[in-house]
Amino acid sequence: MGKLTFKAYFDALREGKLLGLKCKACGKVTCPPMSVCQECGADELEVVEMKNSGVIKTFTVIHVAPAGLENEAPYVVCEVETDDGPWLVGRLDIKPEEASIELVGRRVTITGQELPPERHYPDKERRVVPLFKLS
Amino acid sequence: MKRDLKLRDVAVLGVGHTKFGRSPEKSLMDLFGEAALEAIRASNIEKERIEAVFVGQHVGELTDGVSNFAPFAAAEIGLAGVPAVRTEGACASSSVAFREAYLLVATGVYDVVLVGGVERLLSAGTALGTRALATSADGVYEFNAGLTFPGIFAMAAILYSQKYGIPLDELREKMAHVSIKNHKYGALNPKAQFYKKYGDLKVEDVLNSRMIAYPLTLLDCCPMTDGAAAVVLAEASIAEKHVDKPIYVLGAGLSSAGGIYRQRDVTVPMSRVRSCKMAFEQAGLTPEDVDVVELHDCFTIAEIIASEAMGFFEFGEGADAVAEGKTKIGGKVAINPSGGLIGKGHPVGATGVSQIYAIVKQLRNEMEPRELQVHNAKIGMTDTLGGDFGTICNIILSTERRGEA
Ligand SMILES: [Zn+2]
């Protein structure tokens, strides 16, 4: 079993599959991938397909974007607690003007969205981001 | 750090600080040289006594096409040949440099060293500056979503509102008091980017300024800044021979963390809790002993979160504390009387040493203008945050040697 690379993780996400690493020591799931379990630090991990669902914990509307992403603004970024435990940063699929504090606690499904690469981003071919849709 | 490690007392001699703001005519090296020479002159010490140079520098590669900054910096001030080391810990880069330098003097590797920091973010422009700063968050799993630093702290504000049951509109009003206070002090500080500007803000001004990352407006954010700061550090008995008021280093904490999605509840940043504990244990002090604080107010909510995790207020009470004036000069604990990052500016790599500069001025009773002086300040503390709580560094400074305070 090799480490789940960022490329393999995003290639799967682009196909709609959320991959995580299940720890053989504590049973908890790590996502996005790391070299060890994010809960206990053990390094015996197996790749598993996670549930494509979770809850919005917090969000923001980005009005001023970094160089390279100016054309995407404004956009909504949020953190979602997945039903398997790990939190993820991603984009929320709503119009920015519809974002309000009522989003916190809403359930979402998780897919992947492909966006144009950016000069300094490590994958020079594509930039895949978790895309959350209100369910 | 090992508990039985024998540490020599170490003190700050001279300090140097450029005028923060826009400096298109000055290169990174011009700024560094200006601050470093001011610090050396104020130390009354022969330059040849300096045995090593430490420089905090964050994104020179992106803003100025410059890396390998430290050797050029040593050469710039006539010290070519000495060991020269750059530290990079995002906004805490020069606090990390200060701590490493302090430990090497305390353990006897060096007797006299120079520590500086420099950055040019305002001259880089907002889009490039925002991109450059974003490199210090998770470059893969946070940047892919287009998350920016205002965005990270905007999400922290919403978590804070939810956790403590403070309606977001109410929290935003309390947060505005951080901006009002720090701009008030920054407007008085001749070294500040916003000197003579924004000194009389109202809550509505902060709430109604341009939205950057909901719910943070422009006036909730620190600015992009060009600037540099530097200090000379030496073993205490050497320092005492050269300056009238050496300022002693009593504690230096440093801690680390991964991305915000791994930290989850960033209203209680564990990296800051650990770093502060390390610094207070070394100093043999508690938060109640601290008279003046320069902490990392990159955003209004960031000051509130820091004031709690450093131990000055209970968790969930920091927002009320600032709104009630407890963090003003003359309050329970004076927070950011220099204007902080919001009023004074935030030249990332220089910020940590700029905070040290401000505390040294306070403890020497030399803060200008005098209305920014905290009365009878004996113990001061800095807090510098790099990235999204990835690096936290805390330094405790005193007018007295360890054990004598
Ligand atoms: Zn585990």
Side-chain angles (χ1 to χ4, degrees):
Chain A
M1 174 211 69
K3 182 181 180 266
L4 178 60
T5 64
F6 88 102
K7 176 86 173 142
Y9 168 77
F10 282 125
D11 284 350
L13 188 62
R14 195 164 64 119
E15 304 302 322
K17 269 191 228 160
L18 182 61
L19 298 184
L21 295 166
K22 193 175 167 76
C23 177
K24 291 187 179 169
C26 76
K28 300 227 168 100
V29 176
T30 293
C31 179
M34 275 199 346
S35 299
V36 300
C37 170
Q38 68 180 28
E39 301 297 332
C40 78
D43 61 5
E44 285 213 46
L45 309 169
E46 79 177 308
V47 177
V48 293
E49 190 171 338
M50 293 166 60
K51 295 183 206 80
N52 280 49
S53 53
V55 172
I56 296 175
K57 300 301 286 188
T58 186
F59 73 98
T60 181
V61 185
I62 304 287
H63 292 269
V64 178
L69 275 58
E70 296 100 327
N71 295 338
E72 296 172 19
Y75 49 85
V76 182
V77 173
C78 58
E79 280 192 276
V80 162
E81 181 177 29
T82 65
D83 287 342
D84 288 292
W87 287 31
L88 293 178
V89 174
R91 289 273 178 97
L92 185 63
D93 190 17
I94 61 165
K95 293 195 182 79
E97 58 272 22
E98 289 168 3
S100 81
I101 194 73
E102 312 301 324
L103 287 172
V104 178
R106 291 282 303 274
R107 288 198 58 80
V108 294
T109 57
I110 307 165
T111 60
Q113 181 184 18
E114 183 170 336
L115 292 164
E118 181 268 357
R119 181 192 299 200
H120 301 286
Y121 191 67
D123 187 332
K124 305 305 179 193
E125 289 171 6
R126 62 178 71 91
R127 175 166 57 99
V128 180
V129 52
L131 183 68
F132 307 122
K133 293 175 191 268
L134 293 172
S135 46
Chain B
M1 211 160 71
K2 293 185 179 65
R3 278 177 185 278
D4 57 352
L5 192 64
K6 276 267 177 281
L7 293 181
R8 304 192 298 173
D9 284 343
V10 176
V12 178
L13 289 78
V15 296
H17 200 289
T18 66
K19 162 85 169 86
F20 281 5
R22 186 184 293 278
S23 302
E25 77 289 2
K26 292 179 185 172
S27 69
L28 280 173
M29 204 55 83
D30 292 336
L31 290 165
F32 172 80
E34 189 179 322
L37 289 186
E38 185 188 344
I40 294 168
R41 285 190 202 106
S43 298
N44 306 313
I45 198 165
E46 308 77 50
K47 196 165 62 187
E48 294 66 34
R49 298 279 302 272
I50 296 172
E51 297 159 278
V53 171
F54 296 83
V55 194
Q57 221 289 298
H58 177 35
V59 283
E61 289 88 344
L62 290 172
T63 60
D64 291 71
V66 166
S67 71
N68 197 23
F69 188 78
F72 290 92
E76 174 75 13
I77 56 173
L79 290 173
V82 305
V85 178
R86 169 186 173 187
T87 57
E88 197 285 295
C91 315
S93 292
S94 62
S95 288
V96 174
F98 183 92
R99 181 175 180 272
E100 296 302 311
Y102 157 69
L103 289 173
L104 288 170
V105 176
T107 50
V109 176
Y110 303 119
D111 286 331
V112 185
V113 299
L114 180 119
V115 185
V118 61
E119 207 78 56
R120 288 176 84 240
L121 274 171
L122 186 56
S123 292
T126 302
L128 180 57
T130 303
R131 179 64 187 94
L133 287 174
T135 61
S136 65
D138 186 319
V140 178
Y141 302 115
E142 291 171 2
F143 184 78
N144 64 341
L147 186 56
T148 60
F149 268 90
I152 286 162
F153 284 87
M155 295 205 298
I158 286 175
L159 283 174
Y160 190 99
S161 151
Q162 293 283 316
K163 180 172 180 178
Y164 300 115
I166 306 172
L168 190 59
D169 289 342
E170 221 173 277
L171 177 61
R172 290 184 64 198
E173 288 178 19
K174 294 178 200 287
M175 284 158 48
H177 286 279
V178 174
S179 180
I180 293 167
K181 169 178 70 74
N182 294 356
H183 274 301
K184 180 183 164 198
Y185 296 153
L188 292 167
N189 182 352
K191 298 281 188 191
Q193 179 163 351
F194 294 128
Y195 181 50
K196 294 187 175 171
K197 285 181 193 153
Y198 309 129
D200 191 24
L201 291 175
K202 305 280 178 284
V203 169
E204 296 69 40
D205 298 328
V206 181
L207 299 183
N208 297 330
S209 71
R210 185 160 69 98
M211 193 58 73
I212 301 296
Y214 179 85
L216 302 185
T217 68
L218 186 63
L219 286 171
D220 281 300
C221 305
C222 71
M224 304 265 186
T225 306
D226 306 335
V231 300
V232 174
L233 265 181
E235 185 277 324
S237 65
I238 298 172
E240 286 156 1
K241 288 191 190 90
H242 289 88
V243 294
D244 292 336
K245 297 178 188 169
I247 298 300
Y248 301 90
V249 185
L250 299 192
L254 179 64
S255 183
S256 56
I260 48 165
Y261 54 93
R262 309 243 195 244
Q263 298 177 57
R264 298 179 184 165
D265 181 10
V266 294
T267 64
V268 182
M270 288 316 294
S271 48
R272 180 173 272 129
V273 170
R274 292 173 76 139
S275 171
C276 287
K277 184 167 183 282
M278 194 184 294
F280 278 123
E281 278 182 6
Q282 282 171 20
L285 297 173
T286 68
E288 283 68 40
D289 298 314
V290 178
D291 302 308
V292 55
V293 180
E294 291 284 333
L295 63 72
H296 204 84
D297 59 323
C298 46
F299 302 94
T300 51
I301 185 68
E303 175 163 316
I304 291 167
I305 289 173
S307 72
E308 297 172 2
M310 293 177 76
F312 301 118
F313 301 100
E314 296 295 323
F315 287 105
E317 293 179 4
D320 284 334
V322 63
E324 291 163 9
K326 290 178 181 168
T327 58
K328 287 181 182 167
I329 297 169
K332 177 177 183 273
V333 57
I335 292 181
N336 288 327
S338 73
L341 282 60
I342 285 175
K344 185 174 57 181
H346 183 29
V348 177
T351 288
V353 172
S354 167
Q355 293 174 323
I356 303 272
Y357 174 100
I359 295 292
V360 167
K361 290 284 177 189
Q362 290 285 354
L363 299 186
R364 284 180 173 156
N365 196 22
E366 290 174 357
M367 191 65 191
E368 293 292 343
R370 297 305 291 160
E371 50 196 307
L372 294 181
Q373 177 68 48
V374 176
H375 180 65
N376 205 23
K378 301 287 184 202
I379 306 276
M381 183 166 179
T382 68
D383 168 274
T384 334
L385 175 163
D388 35 8
F389 306 97
T391 299
I392 297 268
C393 190
N394 296 94
I395 309 291
I396 299 177
L397 298 163
S398 167
T399 54
E400 306 290 336
R401 283 197 188 217
R402 192 183 305 273
E404 294 173 17

